[in-house]
Amino acid sequence: NTAEIIPYDDDLICKLFYPGYPKIYVEHEFDNAKAVFQLGIKTPRAYKIVCIAGRDGIVYDKVIGEELSSRIYEANRREQAVWINRFADFHKELLGHVMDSVMDYKDFLKLLAANSTEIIARIHGLRDGNCLLHGDFHPANVMVGTNGELILIDMMNICKGPAIYDIARTYFLLGHNKKLQNEYLQKMGYTLAEIMPY
């Protein structure tokens, strides 16, 4: 929704943001991508910020593969269960990392609170934490590489906080498919009542 992917070099692509997209957000994603890559997580390496025809972009390693969403939504029931398991396991792996050098999720949420004192008070009442949170973890932001490995993309919403926040966020993002939504939550070991405050 914010950029297009264009070829940059033989093994590189450029995530080229649309005209007028704030450069501060481009720099934010670039810093996030570098921090996540340094943790050893399977994700495209970010090399530099470039400007092409007046538009800012980030140069990344090219990923050969397809979105995990294609595997999940087009598979038969048995294969779908395998991919959903892998999706949940990948999320658990990410949440097992400690991250201190990125924005706190409460600060991220407050940016979206429209200065509502009620919402800000509720945000302050949530748990603290320092797990790596993707903030936009759904099957279209996970690629399946040519050898079947899962690869994380889209680092704009990376932050730190308690794992339950990211799980609640993914549950919300899967809302178009109630079956997948409920299977995901069950595999993550949480109930709807537990994630509701988030």
Side-chain angles (χ1 to χ4, degrees):
N1 294 326
T2 59
E4 61 180 318
I5 306 299
I6 64 169
Y8 189 81
D9 206 340
D10 288 343
D11 297 314
L12 302 173
I13 57 90
C14 179
K15 182 176 181 179
L16 191 61
F17 294 87
Y18 294 127
Y21 192 78
K23 185 165 186 177
I24 191 170
Y25 294 162
V26 178
E27 293 169 343
H28 178 72
E29 177 171 337
F30 179 68
D31 290 341
N32 286 344
K34 288 194 300 180
V36 170
F37 184 83
Q38 287 170 358
L39 289 176
I41 292 167
K42 188 69 176 176
T43 186
R45 183 175 184 176
Y47 289 94
K48 59 184 177 178
I49 295 175
V50 296
C51 185
I52 299 174
R55 295 163 59 186
D56 293 312
I58 301 174
V59 176
Y60 284 104
D61 280 327
K62 182 190 295 183
V63 175
I64 307 298
E66 62 179 318
E67 292 177 359
L68 177 59
S69 54
S70 298
R71 297 289 181 99
I72 288 178
Y73 299 129
E74 296 171 12
N76 61 42
R77 183 171 294 182
R78 184 177 176 185
E79 290 173 343
Q80 187 180 66
V82 171
W83 288 112
I84 292 171
N85 275 332
R86 291 195 62 194
F87 175 70
D89 287 344
F90 191 37
H91 203 185
K92 290 175 185 176
E93 177 188 333
L94 298 176
L95 294 170
H97 288 274
V98 172
M99 176 67 89
D100 288 312
S101 62
V102 295
M103 178 182 286
D104 188 275
Y105 86 112
K106 291 185 180 181
D107 294 329
F108 177 78
L109 289 176
K110 283 186 277 190
L111 294 175
L112 310 174
N115 293 321
S116 165
T117 54
E118 178 188 350
I119 293 175
I120 290 172
R122 290 178 66 185
I123 291 169
H124 281 297
L126 298 173
R127 288 188 213 164
D128 293 313
N130 63 351
C131 295
L132 167 65
L133 309 178
H134 184 263
D136 200 19
F137 190 80
H138 57 81
N141 275 339
V142 178
M143 301 289 291
V144 182
T146 51
N147 63 356
E149 82 276 20
L150 298 186
I151 304 164
L152 187 67
I153 61 171
D154 194 352
M155 305 300 162
M156 179 55 69
N157 295 332
I158 293 287
C159 51
K160 65 177 179 179
I164 193 171
Y165 165 75
D166 221 35
I167 293 165
R169 172 74 172 152
T170 296
Y171 179 86
F172 171 79
L173 291 170
L174 296 174
H176 62 283
N177 187 319
K178 297 296 183 186
K179 177 178 177 290
L180 175 58
Q181 192 180 43
N182 292 326
E183 286 183 8
Y184 162 79
L185 191 61
Q186 182 180 26
K187 291 180 189 307
M188 296 303 290
Y190 284 83
T191 65
L192 186 56
E194 287 174 312
I195 68 168
M196 278 307 293
Y198 297 83

